[in-house]
Amino acid sequence: MSEDITRVGVAGCGVMGAGLAETCARAGLDVLVLARTAESAARGERRVLKSIGRAVETGKLTEGERDAALAALKFTTDAADLHDRQFVLEAIVESEPEKSALFKELGDHVTDAHAIFASTTSAIPITRLAGAMNRPGRFIGTHFFNPAPVMRLVEVTASLLTEDDVVTRTEAFVTGVLGKEVVRSQDRAGFVVNTLLVPYLLAAVRMVESGFATAEDVDKGMTLGCAHPMGPLRLIDLIGVDTVVGAGRALYEEFLDPSCAPPALLLRMADAGLLGKKTGRGFYDYR
Ligand SMILES: NC(=O)c1ccc[n+]([C@@H]2O[C@H](COP(=O)([O-])OP(=O)(O)OC[C@H]3O[C@@H](n4cnc5c(N)ncnc54)[C@H](O)[C@@H]3O)[C@@H](O)[C@H]2O)c1
């Protein structure tokens, strides 16, 4: 008999990991965040403090709720410390070898036979990641959206090997405990949202690359003309140029559709470290 999920591990504390850690801590869970180094843990903690501070300033959270959430949040750089976790949410870099190596390690450390291992990959097939660990039946995709504390959607993706109770417990956890909405997707690179979104984002990059229109005008077109809350280039900056490149590559590999192939401009931006908001510069300057 599996117990209620109260002890959560979050692997990675970049944009998504910090957001997921905050989301889980605000839901009253005991959260242990796995960072690669002490410096990235400190950076992740600063991200959470900033975001949760904003939630207090805007009246979404009381100071008492903030303090309780922060008290529930711990950091480590040793994967073995996650041994007692019931649900591990992985949000490390979008790299199949890195994620596979981490899940292999986590599978050896986590002791609960009912534990669930969830990846928030944007486009790597869940079946492939599941196959890299010793408990493929306990593996599932939970694709959250950025910023995780605010965005309500989670795409839930079972692999061909995921056990039924993993799907039902994950959906109950994500909706009942974290307060999100779920859509189910087959295990296809990009799931529902990115399969539609990424070709659109890349088409906007090609427009800028070819001089068809400026980034500002493309974004203005889509915000004022289509009532999108944000234009595609600003959205790439928010998601992260490297993450969009990774998602495009995975979609291209799956569907061989040229509209999913990352344009050279985006590849060069990734090479140059112009990754968007998280590095201070992308299509726009945030410094
Ligand atoms: N950014 C988005 O909008 C978004 C949305 C949904 C899903 N995702 C997915 O979330 C994941 C993370 O993306 P991100 O935007 O947060 O990237 P990011 O670059 O901001 O953060 C990645 C973090 O992972 C850490 N890391 C790398 N290897 C690690 C390891 N072995 N152990 C622990 N930490 C490790 C890095 O130090 C970094 O802090 C990716 O799979 C991405 O596809 C991102």
PDB file of all heavy atoms in Angstrom, residues 44-80:
ATOM      1  N   GLY A  44      20.022  28.620  -6.953  1.00  0.00           N
ATOM      2  CA  GLY A  44      18.640  28.126  -6.951  1.00  0.00           C
ATOM      3  C   GLY A  44      17.866  28.689  -5.770  1.00  0.00           C
ATOM      4  O   GLY A  44      16.708  29.092  -5.915  1.00  0.00           O
ATOM      5  N   GLU A  45      18.522  28.740  -4.620  1.00  0.00           N
ATOM      6  CA  GLU A  45      17.855  29.258  -3.418  1.00  0.00           C
ATOM      7  C   GLU A  45      17.515  30.740  -3.610  1.00  0.00           C
ATOM      8  O   GLU A  45      16.434  31.188  -3.240  1.00  0.00           O
ATOM      9  CB  GLU A  45      18.777  29.053  -2.206  1.00  0.00           C
ATOM     10  CG  GLU A  45      18.044  29.213  -0.907  1.00  0.00           C
ATOM     11  CD  GLU A  45      18.843  28.687   0.290  1.00  0.00           C
ATOM     12  OE1 GLU A  45      20.022  28.342   0.124  1.00  0.00           O
ATOM     13  OE2 GLU A  45      18.260  28.632   1.384  1.00  0.00           O
ATOM     14  N   ARG A  46      18.443  31.468  -4.240  1.00  0.00           N
ATOM     15  CA  ARG A  46      18.174  32.899  -4.497  1.00  0.00           C
ATOM     16  C   ARG A  46      16.985  33.071  -5.439  1.00  0.00           C
ATOM     17  O   ARG A  46      16.154  33.948  -5.254  1.00  0.00           O
ATOM     18  CB  ARG A  46      19.422  33.579  -5.096  1.00  0.00           C
ATOM     19  CG  ARG A  46      20.468  33.924  -4.045  1.00  0.00           C
ATOM     20  CD  ARG A  46      21.452  34.965  -4.554  1.00  0.00           C
ATOM     21  NE  ARG A  46      22.212  34.512  -5.715  1.00  0.00           N
ATOM     22  CZ  ARG A  46      23.329  33.779  -5.667  1.00  0.00           C
ATOM     23  NH1 ARG A  46      23.823  33.429  -4.507  1.00  0.00           N
ATOM     24  NH2 ARG A  46      23.959  33.428  -6.776  1.00  0.00           N
ATOM     25  N   ARG A  47      16.917  32.184  -6.450  1.00  0.00           N
ATOM     26  CA  ARG A  47      15.771  32.231  -7.376  1.00  0.00           C
ATOM     27  C   ARG A  47      14.458  32.057  -6.625  1.00  0.00           C
ATOM     28  O   ARG A  47      13.493  32.767  -6.850  1.00  0.00           O
ATOM     29  CB  ARG A  47      15.848  31.053  -8.354  1.00  0.00           C
ATOM     30  CG  ARG A  47      16.572  31.301  -9.617  1.00  0.00           C
ATOM     31  CD  ARG A  47      16.452  30.002 -10.453  1.00  0.00           C
ATOM     32  NE  ARG A  47      17.597  29.789 -11.273  1.00  0.00           N
ATOM     33  CZ  ARG A  47      17.818  30.386 -12.440  1.00  0.00           C
ATOM     34  NH1 ARG A  47      16.933  31.211 -12.911  1.00  0.00           N
ATOM     35  NH2 ARG A  47      18.904  30.148 -13.127  1.00  0.00           N
ATOM     36  N   VAL A  48      14.446  31.049  -5.724  1.00  0.00           N
ATOM     37  CA  VAL A  48      13.215  30.762  -4.976  1.00  0.00           C
ATOM     38  C   VAL A  48      12.871  31.958  -4.090  1.00  0.00           C
ATOM     39  O   VAL A  48      11.722  32.413  -4.059  1.00  0.00           O
ATOM     40  CB  VAL A  48      13.373  29.486  -4.113  1.00  0.00           C
ATOM     41  CG1 VAL A  48      12.155  29.274  -3.245  1.00  0.00           C
ATOM     42  CG2 VAL A  48      13.614  28.260  -4.994  1.00  0.00           C
ATOM     43  N   LEU A  49      13.882  32.511  -3.407  1.00  0.00           N
ATOM     44  CA  LEU A  49      13.634  33.637  -2.500  1.00  0.00           C
ATOM     45  C   LEU A  49      13.041  34.818  -3.256  1.00  0.00           C
ATOM     46  O   LEU A  49      12.102  35.468  -2.793  1.00  0.00           O
ATOM     47  CB  LEU A  49      14.940  34.067  -1.810  1.00  0.00           C
ATOM     48  CG  LEU A  49      15.443  33.119  -0.720  1.00  0.00           C
ATOM     49  CD1 LEU A  49      16.825  33.537  -0.227  1.00  0.00           C
ATOM     50  CD2 LEU A  49      14.458  33.109   0.460  1.00  0.00           C
ATOM     51  N   LYS A  50      13.590  35.063  -4.450  1.00  0.00           N
ATOM     52  CA  LYS A  50      13.128  36.198  -5.243  1.00  0.00           C
ATOM     53  C   LYS A  50      11.668  35.985  -5.670  1.00  0.00           C
ATOM     54  O   LYS A  50      10.822  36.855  -5.523  1.00  0.00           O
ATOM     55  CB  LYS A  50      14.031  36.331  -6.478  1.00  0.00           C
ATOM     56  CG  LYS A  50      13.854  37.601  -7.236  1.00  0.00           C
ATOM     57  CD  LYS A  50      14.956  37.754  -8.267  1.00  0.00           C
ATOM     58  CE  LYS A  50      14.570  38.828  -9.268  1.00  0.00           C
ATOM     59  NZ  LYS A  50      15.307  38.755 -10.498  1.00  0.00           N
ATOM     60  N   SER A  51      11.407  34.769  -6.167  1.00  0.00           N
ATOM     61  CA  SER A  51      10.069  34.483  -6.686  1.00  0.00           C
ATOM     62  C   SER A  51       9.027  34.457  -5.565  1.00  0.00           C
ATOM     63  O   SER A  51       7.930  35.008  -5.690  1.00  0.00           O
ATOM     64  CB  SER A  51      10.123  33.141  -7.424  1.00  0.00           C
ATOM     65  OG  SER A  51       8.838  32.656  -7.640  1.00  0.00           O
ATOM     66  N   ILE A  52       9.388  33.851  -4.456  1.00  0.00           N
ATOM     67  CA  ILE A  52       8.435  33.735  -3.353  1.00  0.00           C
ATOM     68  C   ILE A  52       8.231  35.121  -2.703  1.00  0.00           C
ATOM     69  O   ILE A  52       7.128  35.448  -2.244  1.00  0.00           O
ATOM     70  CB  ILE A  52       8.914  32.653  -2.346  1.00  0.00           C
ATOM     71  CG1 ILE A  52       7.714  31.953  -1.720  1.00  0.00           C
ATOM     72  CG2 ILE A  52       9.869  33.177  -1.316  1.00  0.00           C
ATOM     73  CD1 ILE A  52       8.074  30.649  -1.026  1.00  0.00           C
ATOM     74  N   GLY A  53       9.292  35.948  -2.740  1.00  0.00           N
ATOM     75  CA  GLY A  53       9.177  37.321  -2.230  1.00  0.00           C
ATOM     76  C   GLY A  53       8.175  38.106  -3.065  1.00  0.00           C
ATOM     77  O   GLY A  53       7.369  38.883  -2.541  1.00  0.00           O
ATOM     78  N   ARG A  54       8.228  37.871  -4.375  1.00  0.00           N
ATOM     79  CA  ARG A  54       7.302  38.555  -5.282  1.00  0.00           C
ATOM     80  C   ARG A  54       5.861  38.123  -4.987  1.00  0.00           C
ATOM     81  O   ARG A  54       4.934  38.920  -5.023  1.00  0.00           O
ATOM     82  CB  ARG A  54       7.671  38.229  -6.735  1.00  0.00           C
ATOM     83  CG  ARG A  54       7.437  39.385  -7.666  1.00  0.00           C
ATOM     84  CD  ARG A  54       7.884  39.081  -9.098  1.00  0.00           C
ATOM     85  NE  ARG A  54       9.255  38.636  -9.217  1.00  0.00           N
ATOM     86  CZ  ARG A  54       9.635  37.485  -9.781  1.00  0.00           C
ATOM     87  NH1 ARG A  54       8.743  36.672 -10.304  1.00  0.00           N
ATOM     88  NH2 ARG A  54      10.898  37.146  -9.850  1.00  0.00           N
ATOM     89  N   ALA A  55       5.697  36.828  -4.667  1.00  0.00           N
ATOM     90  CA  ALA A  55       4.349  36.318  -4.365  1.00  0.00           C
ATOM     91  C   ALA A  55       3.792  36.998  -3.114  1.00  0.00           C
ATOM     92  O   ALA A  55       2.591  37.293  -3.037  1.00  0.00           O
ATOM     93  CB  ALA A  55       4.390  34.801  -4.185  1.00  0.00           C
ATOM     94  N   VAL A  56       4.682  37.303  -2.148  1.00  0.00           N
ATOM     95  CA  VAL A  56       4.231  38.005  -0.933  1.00  0.00           C
ATOM     96  C   VAL A  56       3.877  39.455  -1.277  1.00  0.00           C
ATOM     97  O   VAL A  56       2.817  39.957  -0.894  1.00  0.00           O
ATOM     98  CB  VAL A  56       5.322  37.943   0.168  1.00  0.00           C
ATOM     99  CG1 VAL A  56       4.939  38.807   1.361  1.00  0.00           C
ATOM    100  CG2 VAL A  56       5.548  36.504   0.615  1.00  0.00           C
ATOM    101  N   GLU A  57       4.785  40.094  -2.065  1.00  0.00           N
ATOM    102  CA  GLU A  57       4.543  41.503  -2.437  1.00  0.00           C
ATOM    103  C   GLU A  57       3.216  41.688  -3.172  1.00  0.00           C
ATOM    104  O   GLU A  57       2.535  42.683  -3.005  1.00  0.00           O
ATOM    105  CB  GLU A  57       5.661  42.006  -3.367  1.00  0.00           C
ATOM    106  CG  GLU A  57       6.916  42.411  -2.655  1.00  0.00           C
ATOM    107  CD  GLU A  57       8.098  42.473  -3.618  1.00  0.00           C
ATOM    108  OE1 GLU A  57       7.886  42.662  -4.837  1.00  0.00           O
ATOM    109  OE2 GLU A  57       9.238  42.300  -3.134  1.00  0.00           O
ATOM    110  N   THR A  58       2.863  40.699  -4.007  1.00  0.00           N
ATOM    111  CA  THR A  58       1.645  40.840  -4.811  1.00  0.00           C
ATOM    112  C   THR A  58       0.423  40.252  -4.100  1.00  0.00           C
ATOM    113  O   THR A  58      -0.640  40.106  -4.710  1.00  0.00           O
ATOM    114  CB  THR A  58       1.814  40.186  -6.200  1.00  0.00           C
ATOM    115  OG1 THR A  58       2.242  38.824  -5.996  1.00  0.00           O
ATOM    116  CG2 THR A  58       2.824  40.904  -7.055  1.00  0.00           C
ATOM    117  N   GLY A  59       0.600  39.887  -2.849  1.00  0.00           N
ATOM    118  CA  GLY A  59      -0.543  39.450  -2.049  1.00  0.00           C
ATOM    119  C   GLY A  59      -1.017  38.028  -2.322  1.00  0.00           C
ATOM    120  O   GLY A  59      -2.087  37.627  -1.874  1.00  0.00           O
ATOM    121  N   LYS A  60      -0.188  37.236  -3.037  1.00  0.00           N
ATOM    122  CA  LYS A  60      -0.598  35.856  -3.330  1.00  0.00           C
ATOM    123  C   LYS A  60      -0.251  34.913  -2.180  1.00  0.00           C
ATOM    124  O   LYS A  60      -0.722  33.785  -2.130  1.00  0.00           O
ATOM    125  CB  LYS A  60       0.067  35.370  -4.622  1.00  0.00           C
ATOM    126  CG  LYS A  60      -0.392  36.156  -5.841  1.00  0.00           C
ATOM    127  CD  LYS A  60       0.008  35.476  -7.134  1.00  0.00           C
ATOM    128  CE  LYS A  60      -0.408  36.304  -8.324  1.00  0.00           C
ATOM    129  NZ  LYS A  60       0.557  37.393  -8.616  1.00  0.00           N
ATOM    130  N   LEU A  61       0.618  35.404  -1.296  1.00  0.00           N
ATOM    131  CA  LEU A  61       1.110  34.559  -0.204  1.00  0.00           C
ATOM    132  C   LEU A  61       1.285  35.450   1.022  1.00  0.00           C
ATOM    133  O   LEU A  61       1.691  36.609   0.894  1.00  0.00           O
ATOM    134  CB  LEU A  61       2.483  34.022  -0.638  1.00  0.00           C
ATOM    135  CG  LEU A  61       2.965  32.676  -0.143  1.00  0.00           C
ATOM    136  CD1 LEU A  61       2.059  31.574  -0.668  1.00  0.00           C
ATOM    137  CD2 LEU A  61       4.386  32.435  -0.650  1.00  0.00           C
ATOM    138  N   THR A  62       1.008  34.909   2.202  1.00  0.00           N
ATOM    139  CA  THR A  62       1.270  35.701   3.413  1.00  0.00           C
ATOM    140  C   THR A  62       2.720  35.469   3.839  1.00  0.00           C
ATOM    141  O   THR A  62       3.360  34.512   3.382  1.00  0.00           O
ATOM    142  CB  THR A  62       0.349  35.269   4.570  1.00  0.00           C
ATOM    143  OG1 THR A  62       0.706  33.926   4.939  1.00  0.00           O
ATOM    144  CG2 THR A  62      -1.125  35.329   4.180  1.00  0.00           C
ATOM    145  N   GLU A  63       3.203  36.316   4.732  1.00  0.00           N
ATOM    146  CA  GLU A  63       4.583  36.139   5.211  1.00  0.00           C
ATOM    147  C   GLU A  63       4.721  34.809   5.961  1.00  0.00           C
ATOM    148  O   GLU A  63       5.745  34.133   5.870  1.00  0.00           O
ATOM    149  CB  GLU A  63       4.993  37.314   6.103  1.00  0.00           C
ATOM    150  CG  GLU A  63       5.164  38.573   5.271  1.00  0.00           C
ATOM    151  CD  GLU A  63       5.715  39.740   6.064  1.00  0.00           C
ATOM    152  OE1 GLU A  63       5.970  39.592   7.265  1.00  0.00           O
ATOM    153  OE2 GLU A  63       5.894  40.812   5.446  1.00  0.00           O
ATOM    154  N   GLY A  64       3.667  34.426   6.667  1.00  0.00           N
ATOM    155  CA  GLY A  64       3.677  33.157   7.403  1.00  0.00           C
ATOM    156  C   GLY A  64       3.774  31.971   6.442  1.00  0.00           C
ATOM    157  O   GLY A  64       4.544  31.024   6.681  1.00  0.00           O
ATOM    158  N   GLU A  65       3.012  32.050   5.347  1.00  0.00           N
ATOM    159  CA  GLU A  65       3.058  30.965   4.350  1.00  0.00           C
ATOM    160  C   GLU A  65       4.440  30.899   3.700  1.00  0.00           C
ATOM    161  O   GLU A  65       4.978  29.816   3.444  1.00  0.00           O
ATOM    162  CB  GLU A  65       1.979  31.185   3.282  1.00  0.00           C
ATOM    163  CG  GLU A  65       0.580  30.880   3.782  1.00  0.00           C
ATOM    164  CD  GLU A  65      -0.525  31.426   2.880  1.00  0.00           C
ATOM    165  OE1 GLU A  65      -0.275  32.377   2.096  1.00  0.00           O
ATOM    166  OE2 GLU A  65      -1.647  30.912   2.978  1.00  0.00           O
ATOM    167  N   ARG A  66       5.011  32.074   3.438  1.00  0.00           N
ATOM    168  CA  ARG A  66       6.365  32.112   2.868  1.00  0.00           C
ATOM    169  C   ARG A  66       7.365  31.445   3.814  1.00  0.00           C
ATOM    170  O   ARG A  66       8.148  30.579   3.399  1.00  0.00           O
ATOM    171  CB  ARG A  66       6.793  33.559   2.617  1.00  0.00           C
ATOM    172  CG  ARG A  66       8.239  33.697   2.162  1.00  0.00           C
ATOM    173  CD  ARG A  66       8.780  35.082   2.377  1.00  0.00           C
ATOM    174  NE  ARG A  66       8.738  35.457   3.789  1.00  0.00           N
ATOM    175  CZ  ARG A  66       8.826  36.704   4.246  1.00  0.00           C
ATOM    176  NH1 ARG A  66       8.934  37.707   3.410  1.00  0.00           N
ATOM    177  NH2 ARG A  66       8.782  36.958   5.550  1.00  0.00           N
ATOM    178  N   ASP A  67       7.300  31.795   5.070  1.00  0.00           N
ATOM    179  CA  ASP A  67       8.261  31.251   6.037  1.00  0.00           C
ATOM    180  C   ASP A  67       8.100  29.733   6.160  1.00  0.00           C
ATOM    181  O   ASP A  67       9.086  29.003   6.241  1.00  0.00           O
ATOM    182  CB  ASP A  67       8.081  31.918   7.408  1.00  0.00           C
ATOM    183  CG  ASP A  67       8.443  33.401   7.335  1.00  0.00           C
ATOM    184  OD1 ASP A  67       9.058  33.810   6.330  1.00  0.00           O
ATOM    185  OD2 ASP A  67       8.088  34.150   8.274  1.00  0.00           O
ATOM    186  N   ALA A  68       6.849  29.264   6.144  1.00  0.00           N
ATOM    187  CA  ALA A  68       6.601  27.815   6.246  1.00  0.00           C
ATOM    188  C   ALA A  68       7.161  27.110   5.007  1.00  0.00           C
ATOM    189  O   ALA A  68       7.797  26.046   5.114  1.00  0.00           O
ATOM    190  CB  ALA A  68       5.104  27.548   6.372  1.00  0.00           C
ATOM    191  N   ALA A  69       6.959  27.715   3.838  1.00  0.00           N
ATOM    192  CA  ALA A  69       7.456  27.106   2.598  1.00  0.00           C
ATOM    193  C   ALA A  69       8.987  27.047   2.618  1.00  0.00           C
ATOM    194  O   ALA A  69       9.582  26.015   2.292  1.00  0.00           O
ATOM    195  CB  ALA A  69       6.966  27.895   1.386  1.00  0.00           C
ATOM    196  N   LEU A  70       9.605  28.149   3.022  1.00  0.00           N
ATOM    197  CA  LEU A  70      11.078  28.183   3.025  1.00  0.00           C
ATOM    198  C   LEU A  70      11.652  27.194   4.035  1.00  0.00           C
ATOM    199  O   LEU A  70      12.693  26.581   3.786  1.00  0.00           O
ATOM    200  CB  LEU A  70      11.581  29.603   3.301  1.00  0.00           C
ATOM    201  CG  LEU A  70      11.272  30.616   2.175  1.00  0.00           C
ATOM    202  CD1 LEU A  70      11.746  32.006   2.564  1.00  0.00           C
ATOM    203  CD2 LEU A  70      11.918  30.186   0.845  1.00  0.00           C
ATOM    204  N   ALA A  71      10.944  27.000   5.139  1.00  0.00           N
ATOM    205  CA  ALA A  71      11.428  26.057   6.154  1.00  0.00           C
ATOM    206  C   ALA A  71      11.349  24.613   5.650  1.00  0.00           C
ATOM    207  O   ALA A  71      12.078  23.742   6.123  1.00  0.00           O
ATOM    208  CB  ALA A  71      10.614  26.218   7.439  1.00  0.00           C
ATOM    209  N   ALA A  72      10.466  24.370   4.688  1.00  0.00           N
ATOM    210  CA  ALA A  72      10.270  23.004   4.176  1.00  0.00           C
ATOM    211  C   ALA A  72      11.247  22.662   3.063  1.00  0.00           C
ATOM    212  O   ALA A  72      11.231  21.557   2.516  1.00  0.00           O
ATOM    213  CB  ALA A  72       8.838  22.867   3.658  1.00  0.00           C
ATOM    214  N   LEU A  73      12.086  23.621   2.701  1.00  0.00           N
ATOM    215  CA  LEU A  73      12.960  23.489   1.539  1.00  0.00           C
ATOM    216  C   LEU A  73      14.412  23.277   1.971  1.00  0.00           C
ATOM    217  O   LEU A  73      14.983  24.103   2.668  1.00  0.00           O
ATOM    218  CB  LEU A  73      12.846  24.811   0.756  1.00  0.00           C
ATOM    219  CG  LEU A  73      13.204  24.875  -0.688  1.00  0.00           C
ATOM    220  CD1 LEU A  73      12.424  23.862  -1.499  1.00  0.00           C
ATOM    221  CD2 LEU A  73      12.889  26.291  -1.208  1.00  0.00           C
ATOM    222  N   LYS A  74      14.995  22.140   1.517  1.00  0.00           N
ATOM    223  CA  LYS A  74      16.409  21.875   1.841  1.00  0.00           C
ATOM    224  C   LYS A  74      17.157  21.588   0.535  1.00  0.00           C
ATOM    225  O   LYS A  74      16.560  21.153  -0.445  1.00  0.00           O
ATOM    226  CB  LYS A  74      16.519  20.642   2.754  1.00  0.00           C
ATOM    227  CG  LYS A  74      15.718  20.749   4.055  1.00  0.00           C
ATOM    228  CD  LYS A  74      16.530  21.450   5.136  1.00  0.00           C
ATOM    229  CE  LYS A  74      15.795  21.561   6.457  1.00  0.00           C
ATOM    230  NZ  LYS A  74      14.482  22.212   6.430  1.00  0.00           N
ATOM    231  N   PHE A  75      18.465  21.790   0.577  1.00  0.00           N
ATOM    232  CA  PHE A  75      19.289  21.585  -0.618  1.00  0.00           C
ATOM    233  C   PHE A  75      20.391  20.570  -0.319  1.00  0.00           C
ATOM    234  O   PHE A  75      20.876  20.492   0.806  1.00  0.00           O
ATOM    235  CB  PHE A  75      19.925  22.905  -1.061  1.00  0.00           C
ATOM    236  CG  PHE A  75      18.925  23.882  -1.620  1.00  0.00           C
ATOM    237  CD1 PHE A  75      18.147  24.667  -0.780  1.00  0.00           C
ATOM    238  CD2 PHE A  75      18.736  24.006  -2.985  1.00  0.00           C
ATOM    239  CE1 PHE A  75      17.219  25.567  -1.290  1.00  0.00           C
ATOM    240  CE2 PHE A  75      17.808  24.897  -3.509  1.00  0.00           C
ATOM    241  CZ  PHE A  75      17.055  25.678  -2.656  1.00  0.00           C
ATOM    242  N   THR A  76      20.781  19.818  -1.349  1.00  0.00           N
ATOM    243  CA  THR A  76      21.918  18.906  -1.213  1.00  0.00           C
ATOM    244  C   THR A  76      22.632  18.808  -2.564  1.00  0.00           C
ATOM    245  O   THR A  76      22.052  19.151  -3.601  1.00  0.00           O
ATOM    246  CB  THR A  76      21.465  17.498  -0.768  1.00  0.00           C
ATOM    247  OG1 THR A  76      22.623  16.661  -0.640  1.00  0.00           O
ATOM    248  CG2 THR A  76      20.516  16.847  -1.779  1.00  0.00           C
ATOM    249  N   THR A  77      23.876  18.323  -2.527  1.00  0.00           N
ATOM    250  CA  THR A  77      24.572  18.069  -3.792  1.00  0.00           C
ATOM    251  C   THR A  77      24.858  16.565  -3.924  1.00  0.00           C
ATOM    252  O   THR A  77      25.566  16.154  -4.834  1.00  0.00           O
ATOM    253  CB  THR A  77      25.905  18.860  -3.860  1.00  0.00           C
ATOM    254  OG1 THR A  77      26.657  18.554  -2.688  1.00  0.00           O
ATOM    255  CG2 THR A  77      25.666  20.346  -3.953  1.00  0.00           C
ATOM    256  N   ASP A  78      24.301  15.766  -3.008  1.00  0.00           N
ATOM    257  CA  ASP A  78      24.553  14.323  -3.007  1.00  0.00           C
ATOM    258  C   ASP A  78      23.252  13.564  -3.319  1.00  0.00           C
ATOM    259  O   ASP A  78      22.308  13.586  -2.507  1.00  0.00           O
ATOM    260  CB  ASP A  78      25.099  13.932  -1.621  1.00  0.00           C
ATOM    261  CG  ASP A  78      25.475  12.460  -1.553  1.00  0.00           C
ATOM    262  OD1 ASP A  78      25.251  11.740  -2.554  1.00  0.00           O
ATOM    263  OD2 ASP A  78      25.983  12.035  -0.494  1.00  0.00           O
ATOM    264  N   ALA A  79      23.215  12.894  -4.468  1.00  0.00           N
ATOM    265  CA  ALA A  79      21.990  12.188  -4.882  1.00  0.00           C
ATOM    266  C   ALA A  79      21.565  11.138  -3.852  1.00  0.00           C
ATOM    267  O   ALA A  79      20.362  10.827  -3.734  1.00  0.00           O
ATOM    268  CB  ALA A  79      22.202  11.541  -6.249  1.00  0.00           C
ATOM    269  N   ALA A  80      22.505  10.598  -3.089  1.00  0.00           N
ATOM    270  CA  ALA A  80      22.173   9.573  -2.092  1.00  0.00           C
ATOM    271  C   ALA A  80      21.234  10.119  -1.018  1.00  0.00           C
ATOM    272  O   ALA A  80      20.466   9.362  -0.411  1.00  0.00           O
ATOM    273  CB  ALA A  80      23.458   9.037  -1.454  1.00  0.00           C
TER     274      ALA A  80
END
